[in-house]
Amino acid sequence: MKQKLCRLMKLVLPSLLLVILSITAFAQTVIKGTILDNDKLPMAGATIQVAGTSTRTQSDAEGKFQITVPSTTSKLIVSFVGFETQTVNVNNQTLINITLASLNNLEGVVVVGYGSVKKSDLTGAAATVSAKDFNKGPLTAPDQLIQGKVAGVQMINNSGQPGGASTVRIRGNSAITGTGQPLYVVDGVALDGRSARPNTSAGIGTAPAGNPLNFINPADIESMEILKDASATAIYGSRAAYGVVLITTKRGKSGDTRIDVNASAGVSNIAKRVDVLTGEEYRAALRKYSLTSGDFGTSVDALDEIIRTAYNQNYSIGISGGANGNTFRASMGYQDQQGIVKTTDFKKYSAAFNGNFKFLESKNLGLDINMISNQYLENIAPITTDAGFTGSLISQALAWNPTQSFYNPDGSLFIDYGSTTINPLAALAANSDKSKVSTILGSISPYYKITPWLEYRMLASVNYSTGIRRASTRSTLNLQGIQPSGDFLGGYASYSNTELVTQQFTNTLNFNKEIATKLNVNAVIGYEYSNFINKSAVNTATGFGNLPLDYTDAFESTLKANRTFVTSNDPTTELQSYFARGIFNYDNKYILTATVRADGSTKFGANNKYGYFPSFAAAWNIKQESFLTNVEWLNTLKIRAGYGKTGNQDFPSGSSQQRFVYRTPGKAGDPIPQVGLNNQNDNLKWQEDKQTNIGLDFGLFGNKLTGSIDYFNKTTKDLLYPQTAFVPAEQGNVVTWQNLSGEIVNKGVEMSLNANIIEKDNLSWSLGGNVTYIKNNVKNLDGIIKTGSLSGQGLSDVTTEVIQNGLPLFAMFTRQYNGLAANGFSSYTDDGFTKYYVGNPNPKFILGLSTNLRYKKFSFSANFNGAFGQSIYNNTANSVLAISNLGSRNVSSGILDLPIQESLANPIAASSRYIEKGDYVKLANATLNYNIGNIGKVIKSLNIYVNGQNLFVITNYTGFDPEVNVNKSVNGVPSAGIDYTAYPTARTFNFGVNFSL
């Protein structure tokens, strides 16, 4: 019996075990679904994990995933860096679509300086632009990513030069010295706004500046926060007068190591030309004016000869990953961008690393490490901002006689020695101008979470940048000071370098706790010390002759009398700061923010070393009130109001001290001569900005329609200005930096609106726009400050802009042109003896418009920007293309269409004749994208795209581009809206691919 029972058990037990295993296997459920973001776009690489297990997977390029769960009651944890982690109940479902909310949405987190807050707690005027909304294409600097994206922010590319400087204005223009640019903060490290690229050129004028943000690879940026009003910016005190831009770079995330690859290549051509006469039109003009000379029998296009189809390529690779709260990301990038002007290019090599590490069992001790290294190389054309009668490359090409060949019969370049007409091809051949700028920005930030609501953090950073520039013009060029003359062998060279160092040490204590029922306090207090070092050296030499070497390699071949050597070391600027901010939130309805910062700077006078910058703001989340909680179509309604002060110290180091420059003594043993730079002023104090802001934020219909409206009023006073002595300059009596009594007022209204018009799985369409109205005015200013220097034939020592009481900043003030008189000469009001206010370079309106359309795997985005109501002074038309050129140089084609024939003897003069409307709308960026998805088991999220930049512009301006701002400053006082032979803008088309491994 026992034996039978044993045999029965042997048969039953395996069968029972098999049944149990089958039931268990059958109980497992396969879940499928799609991960989407707020815009219903698929999210590739999101992590989906079964709660309580190690089972996990990632979404593919289409956002789709598949995962097996042990039970229909299991939970899924879905995460993605920069988005809110969600826990989802399976609840017997087999198909689950999940939308992740960005941490930058209406209820997300906003970086506000030395901390972060929920956007619903924000009381100031701030905007966030994330990576998915950036402008696309081979951009060289971060400021180009946000052009047209934010209300109240105007970004202008000063010229088409690759790597060239830009102008960024937040809520108008208020700088009468310095750059007027916002403060940029990269991962908590404040930049000083300087570029280490030396300014010296090849002896033909001042070359346009480079962009100080070129050292940052745009592909490494996760988001950019723009702080606009004093409530948002006062935490940065003395450097926040022109707004603050916070740049957050990409971080690694926990999970498998991931490799992201981006590659693109493209072509560029000139976007818009200046109309000058062709060879045949020139001959017709000679006949019209009965001129018997000036026709050399051929037809050429000089502009075509100096420009080209340019090519670019751009590669970046990022490696990221981590586990147990420790994450890292490393990246490398290479960019090679040819300029459309021959011989010009821009090459950039970049690398970055950041690590976020946590220690101890509690994970309360952490360490953040950031490192950015970069080197860029430029070949720069002989294009300058202040070339005189003989011009620089662009003016030489525009003015070249279109009937004259560039070459002699033997094929050599035609160079007319003794003439002031320069062959643009000869200018290119004679020029060599190369720069190299290397930058390292490193920071280390340990922190300790003392309690769940109290954290101490320290940050130490160094930003080191050095630039070298070698520039020369060979003696073959027929340019005064360059061509041989008598015993002078000709030729010019300069070798210069600059070294910039910024050190920053910050200590903060952050507090975030509910201190009473419904009352939460988010506060920070801190201390910060920074110093700024600027050293430079410039070597120049002339008289190289036909030396068969690069002139910059052979300075010793010239006479000692032909060499100069100048070094400088600015006084080290030190900035010591104490700051505090408290955000009080009661019941998520009533929010009060108070901020104060005290800055002490060595730049200012002994009696005013410290400046104090407070701000206050309040917000009311009306939607949280009981009478609106049940209004389903209204999701957000918040009123904000704030007032505060910020400052400005954007002027030369040592300006409050008595400073001298040493000169070479006459002979050995003689005293070293000293020449004064500026006088001492112990009362020199901070320039101060007071700003009031009232705003409204709203979200309707499930936040399908969101937007904000802000009114701002900003007054700038105690204007920093270098006052020139009224007596002849003597030793120690040259310039005294003072605070002027006048005020600059910028006030206006800005509005942004974003709509998710269609939100479906296979189709989505969103539309966003912003518009800003700004009025600028100067008040209570004694005297007149002149700026806006004009250049070229007949315009020596002529200025066309003023800073004057009752007028907008940089008002165009010149002769009022009334047309041509019957004799062909210009007619002016009061015969030109009186100058009038005839133009305003500040726009009345600026706008941005963007749209995103997705259908299945295809997506399309387009970004427009524009400005209206501003004037542009066309210095190029004024001095380079005048009718008096006819017979020797080219002229503007529009001159011949005038109803009255202009006299050849009509003198060149500054007047409102050359002030044009600068209104424009530009399709700055458009991208067509196709999401292929995964290929095999290796390539993930393969994506290809075609991108275009500067596709078209609608404007009546006759220059290359109405988006222009050539530096025409006078004695350090900036200008605005003047165009003079700038590097032309390029239209670019790119093909790109990105994928993950």
Side-chain angles (χ1 to χ4, degrees):
M1 186 70 178
K2 290 182 178 180
Q3 291 178 347
K4 290 182 178 179
L5 184 60
C6 288
R7 284 197 294 269
L8 182 62
M9 292 293 290
K10 290 180 180 179
L11 291 172
V12 172
L13 285 176
S15 300
L16 184 61
L17 182 60
L18 182 61
V19 171
I20 293 172
L21 290 173
S22 299
I23 292 172
T24 303
F26 181 76
Q28 290 184 329
T29 303
V30 176
I31 306 297
K32 297 180 180 180
T34 305
I35 310 298
L36 304 171
D37 65 11
N38 295 324
D39 298 322
K40 300 301 181 184
L41 297 175
M43 297 182 64
T47 299
I48 303 95
Q49 182 172 356
V50 180
T53 75
S54 60
T55 303
R56 67 183 178 186
T57 187
Q58 286 190 328
S59 57
D60 63 17
E62 299 174 12
K64 296 180 178 179
F65 71 93
Q66 177 177 312
I67 193 169
T68 301
V69 299
S71 168
T72 56
T73 60
S74 298
K75 296 181 179 181
L76 300 180
I77 300 173
V78 185
S79 61
F80 192 90
V81 65
F83 287 76
E84 183 179 354
T85 299
Q86 277 197 37
T87 300
V88 180
N89 293 315
V90 173
N91 287 339
N92 296 311
Q93 300 175 86
T94 57
L95 180 64
I96 302 177
N97 295 327
I98 302 166
T99 299
L100 294 184
S102 169
L103 292 178
N104 292 323
N105 66 7
L106 284 176
E107 292 302 318
V109 174
V110 178
V111 179
V112 291
Y114 306 104
S116 59
V117 299
K118 291 192 302 181
K119 190 164 187 178
S120 58
D121 289 352
L122 196 64
T123 56
T128 299
V129 184
S130 58
K132 69 182 181 63
D133 297 318
F134 287 159
N135 292 318
K136 305 298 189 295
L139 307 176
T140 58
D143 48 9
Q144 299 166 335
L145 297 171
I146 59 172
Q147 185 179 34
K149 295 290 185 179
V150 179
V153 179
Q154 183 184 28
M155 184 271 178
I156 299 172
N157 290 298
N158 292 352
S159 73
Q161 174 182 303
S166 61
T167 298
V168 177
R169 298 278 182 255
I170 297 179
R171 293 186 164 180
N173 198 348
S174 58
I176 69 166
T177 54
T179 65
Q181 302 277 63
L183 171 69
Y184 291 91
V185 181
V186 181
D187 293 328
V189 179
L191 307 181
D192 62 13
R194 300 175 295 179
S195 172
R197 192 187 84 170
N199 293 324
T200 52
S201 62
I204 59 171
T206 304
N211 194 320
L213 300 178
N214 280 337
F215 77 95
I216 305 173
N217 184 354
D220 286 335
I221 297 177
E222 181 67 31
S223 67
M224 296 174 70
E225 259 84 22
I226 297 88
L227 312 182
K228 297 183 283 186
D229 75 331
S231 170
T233 62
I235 194 72
Y236 289 102
S238 64
R239 291 185 285 173
Y242 307 124
V244 180
V245 178
L246 307 179
I247 298 174
T248 302
T249 59
K250 293 177 179 177
R251 295 286 185 268
K253 61 178 181 176
S254 295
D256 296 335
T257 301
R258 174 190 179 106
I259 301 176
D260 298 308
V261 180
N262 293 274
S264 68
V267 296
S268 301
N269 293 98
I270 190 168
K272 184 175 179 288
R273 304 172 69 97
V274 172
D275 290 332
V276 294
L277 300 182
T278 65
E280 289 304 318
E281 291 171 339
Y282 196 82
R283 278 184 273 271
L286 293 176
R287 291 192 294 271
K288 181 177 181 179
Y289 276 85
S290 302
L291 296 177
T292 57
S293 62
D295 181 3
F296 294 91
T298 188
S299 292
V300 298
D301 188 324
L303 189 62
D304 270 352
E305 292 296 321
I306 66 166
I307 62 175
R308 62 184 174 185
T309 296
Y311 300 93
N312 73 76
Q313 50 185 328
N314 198 353
Y315 309 97
S316 65
I317 181 170
I319 304 172
S320 61
N324 301 319
N326 300 311
T327 60
F328 75 94
R329 184 178 187 274
S331 66
M332 294 179 290
Y334 170 71
Q335 183 175 23
D336 183 358
Q337 184 174 343
Q338 287 185 337
I340 58 171
V341 174
K342 291 178 179 177
T343 75
T344 63
D345 60 43
F346 177 90
K347 293 182 180 179
K348 179 160 70 173
Y349 307 85
S350 58
F353 173 83
N354 63 65
N356 308 100
F357 307 103
K358 294 181 179 179
F359 306 95
L360 306 180
E361 185 176 351
S362 64
K363 304 297 183 183
N364 286 341
L365 179 64
L367 178 66
D368 295 340
I369 299 173
N370 289 278
M371 180 72 71
I372 297 174
S373 61
N374 174 280
Q375 183 178 91
Y376 68 84
L377 311 172
E378 292 177 284
N379 279 304
I380 304 169
I383 298 173
T384 66
T385 63
D386 55 0
F389 174 67
T390 51
S392 62
L393 183 66
I394 298 300
S395 58
Q396 291 159 0
L398 291 175
W400 183 257
N401 186 327
T403 70
Q404 187 169 23
S405 173
F406 303 107
Y407 301 97
N408 294 313
D410 62 2
S412 61
L413 285 169
F414 170 72
I415 301 174
D416 190 5
Y417 291 106
S419 168
T420 56
T421 300
I422 309 298
N423 183 339
L425 298 189
L428 267 182
N431 176 77
S432 175
D433 193 347
K434 303 176 186 293
S435 76
K436 178 172 68 175
V437 178
S438 305
T439 302
I440 296 178
L441 172 62
S443 69
I444 182 170
S445 181
Y447 62 91
Y448 185 73
K449 190 173 286 292
I450 303 168
T451 70
W453 42 266
L454 186 64
E455 178 183 285
Y456 166 76
R457 179 180 289 270
M458 188 271 281
L459 182 143
S461 70
V462 176
N463 186 2
Y464 177 84
S465 187
T466 181
I468 298 173
R469 187 165 181 175
R470 293 170 173 261
S472 63
T473 302
R474 300 197 68 84
S475 61
T476 53
L477 197 64
N478 59 317
L479 195 63
Q480 187 176 0
I482 301 294
Q483 67 183 357
S485 176
D487 295 332
F488 176 61
L489 298 179
Y492 175 94
S494 67
Y495 178 95
S496 50
N497 61 53
T498 301
E499 181 182 35
L500 303 176
V501 184
T502 301
Q503 297 174 305
Q504 177 182 320
F505 302 93
T506 307
N507 293 270
T508 57
L509 193 64
N510 287 79
F511 176 96
N512 194 347
K513 181 177 173 60
E514 186 174 340
I515 62 173
T517 303
K518 297 184 180 181
L519 178 60
N520 188 85
V521 177
N522 183 342
V524 61
I525 59 173
Y527 168 80
E528 188 169 82
Y529 170 82
S530 304
N531 61 45
F532 310 90
I533 298 171
N534 180 7
K535 299 179 181 179
S536 64
V538 179
N539 301 276
T540 66
T542 58
F544 294 90
N546 292 322
L547 193 69
L549 297 173
D550 186 322
Y551 286 172
T552 61
D553 292 330
F555 275 62
E556 66 278 6
S557 68
T558 64
L559 299 175
K560 287 185 178 181
N562 290 350
R563 302 178 211 160
T564 65
F565 181 63
V566 178
T567 61
S568 66
N569 184 0
D570 286 350
T572 298
T573 297
E574 296 179 279
L575 184 66
Q576 179 174 260
S577 309
Y578 304 88
F579 54 88
R581 178 183 61 225
I583 302 173
F584 303 87
N585 182 333
Y586 181 75
D587 199 21
N588 290 320
K589 297 179 184 178
Y590 316 110
I591 302 126
L592 175 67
T593 302
T595 306
V596 64
R597 180 164 177 140
D599 278 334
S601 174
T602 57
K603 281 189 173 183
F604 291 93
N607 299 329
N608 289 293
K609 288 294 185 186
Y610 275 86
Y612 301 93
F613 308 99
S615 75
F616 304 92
W620 179 21
N621 278 322
I622 308 175
K623 170 59 181 174
Q624 299 301 319
E625 297 291 350
S626 58
F627 57 84
L628 286 179
T629 53
N630 294 325
V631 181
E632 295 183 358
W633 57 268
L634 180 65
N635 304 98
T636 303
L637 184 63
K638 183 171 72 173
I639 295 176
R640 297 173 282 104
Y643 169 82
K645 297 180 182 180
T646 53
N648 170 37
Q649 59 162 356
D650 185 14
F651 70 109
S653 176
S655 294
S656 66
Q657 306 168 19
Q658 187 84 38
R659 288 202 302 159
F660 301 91
V661 173
Y662 289 116
R663 292 290 184 248
T664 305
K667 63 180 184 299
D670 284 356
I672 299 176
Q674 294 179 347
V675 177
L677 277 181
N678 54 255
N679 287 334
Q680 183 172 334
N681 183 0
D682 290 338
N683 294 317
L684 188 66
K685 61 182 179 179
W686 305 84
Q687 182 171 303
E688 184 178 271
D689 280 56
K690 297 180 179 179
Q691 186 171 176
T692 301
N693 189 91
I694 300 173
L696 174 71
D697 301 325
F698 57 88
L700 310 175
F701 314 118
N703 283 328
K704 288 186 176 181
L705 182 65
T706 61
S708 64
I709 302 172
D710 282 83
Y711 165 79
F712 60 90
N713 190 324
K714 181 173 68 171
T715 299
T716 305
K717 68 173 192 174
D718 297 327
L719 306 170
L720 292 166
Y721 179 70
Q723 184 69 58
T724 304
F726 292 103
V727 298
E730 301 171 1
Q731 179 176 318
N733 188 21
V734 182
V735 165
T736 303
W737 278 85
Q738 296 180 345
N739 298 103
L740 300 182
S741 60
E743 298 177 349
I744 298 171
V745 178
N746 285 279
K747 58 184 177 180
V749 177
E750 59 187 34
M751 182 176 71
S752 62
L753 193 64
N754 297 281
N756 294 318
I757 301 171
I758 300 175
E759 293 181 290
K760 296 182 179 180
D761 289 344
N762 289 326
L763 177 65
S764 66
W765 178 33
S766 64
L767 186 65
N770 63 80
V771 62
T772 305
Y773 164 78
I774 303 177
K775 184 177 181 180
N776 177 284
N777 193 44
V778 178
K779 296 173 58 178
N780 304 321
L781 181 68
D782 295 329
I784 298 174
I785 300 173
K786 295 183 179 181
T787 187
S789 64
L790 300 183
S791 301
Q793 182 179 5
L795 297 176
S796 298
D797 300 320
V798 174
T799 61
T800 191
E801 293 181 341
V802 297
I803 302 173
Q804 182 175 331
N805 191 41
L807 299 179
L809 197 62
F810 310 128
M812 294 178 178
F813 202 78
T814 186
R815 299 175 184 87
Q816 190 169 59
Y817 177 72
N818 297 322
L820 292 174
N823 60 2
F825 284 80
S826 296
S827 172
Y828 305 107
T829 301
D830 193 27
D831 291 330
F833 291 108
T834 303
K835 294 183 178 180
Y836 298 88
Y837 166 49
V838 288
N840 181 3
N842 304 290
K844 294 180 180 178
F845 295 92
I846 57 176
L847 66 83
L849 180 67
S850 62
T851 186
N852 293 275
L853 177 66
R854 177 186 60 84
Y855 176 70
K856 294 185 177 180
K857 293 187 176 184
F858 287 95
S859 61
F860 172 77
S861 64
N863 299 288
F864 297 81
N865 68 77
F868 301 89
Q870 76 277 19
S871 301
I872 299 175
Y873 194 96
N874 194 338
N875 191 175
T876 305
N878 190 174
S879 64
V880 177
L881 302 174
I883 190 63
S884 56
N885 285 354
L886 193 62
S888 58
R889 303 184 185 194
N890 211 340
V891 300
S892 171
S893 59
I895 291 178
L896 300 185
D897 298 328
L898 297 173
I900 297 175
Q901 182 169 310
E902 185 172 1
S903 170
L904 295 177
N906 191 24
I908 293 174
S911 75
S912 62
R913 176 181 185 178
Y914 303 102
I915 295 176
E916 303 184 36
K917 290 184 178 180
D919 301 354
Y920 74 92
V921 174
K922 178 183 289 188
L923 176 54
N925 199 285
T927 303
L928 178 63
N929 187 87
Y930 182 70
N931 192 344
I932 296 174
N934 297 348
I935 298 181
K937 296 182 179 180
V938 179
I939 297 178
K940 302 175 183 178
S941 308
L942 179 63
N943 188 73
I944 60 174
Y945 63 89
V946 177
N947 167 266
Q949 293 176 282
N950 297 316
L951 294 178
F952 68 80
V953 60
I954 301 173
T955 185
N956 290 323
Y957 180 59
T958 60
F960 287 121
D961 193 339
E963 185 189 327
V964 66
N965 187 28
V966 175
N967 180 9
K968 304 299 292 182
S969 61
V970 176
N971 297 325
V973 178
S975 62
I978 298 178
D979 186 7
Y980 183 59
T981 65
Y983 193 117
T985 299
R987 179 183 294 114
T988 303
F989 294 94
N990 304 283
F991 174 80
V993 58
N994 51 64
F995 57 89
S996 299
L997 300 174

